[in-house]
Amino acid sequence: MLAPAEPLANTALQLRYYQLACDIRFLKSVELAAFAGPTLHGGFGHAVKQVGDEFYDWFFDCKNQQGQSIQKPYAFILPTDKKRNFAPQDDWSFTLMIWGDRTQAITSVIEALLHWQMLGLGTARAPFKIQSLRLVGSEQRLIYLAGNQLNFDLPQPRTLLDALQQGELKAGAEPANTVWLNTLSPLHLKHQRQVIQHAPDVDVLLSSVARRINTLATNFEPDANLVPLVADSLATYVQLLHDNTHSAPVTRYSLREQKQRHMQGLEGSWFYHGNIAALMPWLILADVVGVGNKTTFGFGRVSWQLARTA
């Protein structure tokens, strides 16, 4: 269970982030993949490369001092509709999360997004126009509108602690003993190095969220001495009582490897019953950071709804 806000001030919850919503309009017809996250990831990589090789290595293709790839400081969130086919002048939206010290490069990220317009999206490289860019938080801040970059000071990045405090206010104080969860995008979860193909037990879910936050803070808040978050066991107090999930492969094409890659994705709904108050902070944080692996490609998004059951 997470502690009150004061003791959390020096923890990994100080991880900074920007949530950048991007609204685009296609200029030519395009058919996107059934799951468009890898398409966005690949196209964004080409766009970042246009800014410069040094920025590409620092922001997009991060490695540690040993030259090993590490978790990325960005992630895509896809729209919940499943629309795949777009005609000229059709609109579409997605969100880009930017983590930690990489938030300092927000102007370079915007530059990359503007380059991306003419590089195109999808296998057809369909060009598009950015209609708007918005920073999403407690309030939305419009920073780009239909060809005009708006000139004013950008707000400071939010922190996970900000999101937690705002989320607790939104959740309210009404007692609940049940929470329904539904996948908005496939989940790629592992437990003991095995891919999970069913709804996760509550401790697996919590550990996944805590591990992701700690890894992001370790890699991308290097100047801060942040205490890792610890997810205490809730299995005694919160039980998984319903599982309507299924697991299926999600296919993407790797330009780097020039071949199809398959990633297992869990989709569906389930619910937990019991001491939901102890689970709530982790669900709020999962809204921001996602659950499990492959979040860079848009995996790991869930919605939840509280209920009071007999």
Side-chain angles (χ1 to χ4, degrees):
M1 185 185 304
L2 295 180
E6 187 72 21
L8 293 173
N10 68 333
T11 69
L13 289 182
Q14 287 301 321
L15 176 70
R16 294 166 288 171
Y17 71 93
Y18 277 132
Q19 184 171 344
L20 183 61
C22 184
D23 304 311
I24 70 173
R25 178 167 294 166
F26 288 106
L27 303 182
K28 292 184 178 180
S29 297
V30 60
E31 180 181 359
L32 298 180
F35 181 66
T39 302
L40 285 174
H41 180 269
F44 182 57
H46 287 295
V48 171
K49 195 79 170 177
Q50 299 298 308
V51 179
D53 290 342
E54 185 175 346
F55 180 64
Y56 179 89
D57 292 340
W58 182 76
F59 185 86
F60 187 83
D61 193 24
C62 305
K63 293 180 171 60
N64 60 20
Q65 294 181 345
Q66 290 73 42
Q68 300 167 319
S69 293
I70 59 175
Q71 194 172 44
K72 309 306 182 188
Y74 56 88
F76 284 100
I77 301 176
L78 277 67
T80 55
D81 67 57
K82 304 298 183 182
K83 185 174 180 178
R84 296 179 57 188
N85 293 286
F86 298 87
Q89 303 305 308
D90 278 354
D91 294 334
W92 195 54
S93 301
F94 59 85
T95 298
L96 179 64
M97 304 295 296
I98 307 169
W99 304 109
D101 61 357
R102 270 46 171 188
T103 57
Q104 300 168 14
I106 183 67
T107 54
S108 294
V109 172
I110 293 170
E111 181 183 350
L113 292 171
L114 297 178
H115 279 300
W116 196 359
Q117 297 176 101
M118 297 316 298
L119 294 174
L121 189 62
T123 55
R125 298 288 186 263
F128 59 86
K129 280 292 185 183
I130 294 177
Q131 298 300 106
S132 67
L133 295 173
R134 295 169 286 115
L135 287 175
V136 180
S138 55
E139 298 180 358
Q140 295 206 26
R141 178 74 66 88
L142 186 67
I143 59 175
Y144 180 90
L145 180 64
N148 298 301
Q149 190 157 341
L150 307 179
N151 295 315
F152 51 74
D153 292 336
L154 292 173
Q156 290 297 311
R158 304 188 77 211
T159 69
L160 293 184
L161 187 56
D162 295 333
L164 180 60
Q165 292 169 339
Q166 181 182 352
E168 288 175 337
L169 290 174
K170 181 179 178 181
E174 184 175 348
N177 61 2
T178 302
V179 59
W180 286 88
L181 290 92
N182 185 67
T183 59
L184 301 177
S185 67
L187 306 188
H188 188 82
L189 276 167
K190 289 186 177 182
H191 180 56
Q192 298 178 345
R193 300 189 176 183
Q194 298 296 314
V195 176
I196 293 176
Q197 301 191 36
H198 51 75
D201 291 337
V202 66
D203 284 351
V204 173
L205 182 78
L206 267 57
S207 296
S208 169
V209 176
R211 184 166 56 250
R212 175 155 170 73
I213 292 171
N214 292 335
T215 303
L216 286 168
T218 298
N219 289 332
F220 303 116
E221 293 289 3
D223 298 327
N225 183 23
L226 301 180
V227 178
L229 296 182
V230 177
D232 296 330
S233 175
L234 293 181
T236 305
Y237 313 103
V238 179
Q239 286 80 46
L240 172 66
L241 294 185
H242 172 81
D243 183 357
N244 187 29
T245 60
H246 64 277
S247 184
V250 178
T251 302
R252 72 177 180 94
Y253 183 76
S254 172
L255 286 174
R256 180 180 297 179
E257 300 177 11
Q258 296 292 301
K259 66 178 183 181
Q260 298 281 353
R261 296 292 303 272
H262 302 283
M263 302 177 289
Q264 205 68 19
L266 182 73
E267 296 187 83
S269 61
W270 68 98
F271 75 75
Y272 298 117
H273 180 82
N275 182 12
I276 300 304
L279 177 58
M280 280 301 305
W282 298 102
L283 294 176
I284 294 168
L285 293 172
D287 281 344
V288 183
V289 302
V291 177
N293 304 320
K294 311 298 182 185
T295 53
T296 298
F297 297 99
F299 278 62
R301 295 291 159 181
V302 298
S303 65
W304 48 269
Q305 185 174 352
L306 299 174
R308 181 77 185 178
T309 61

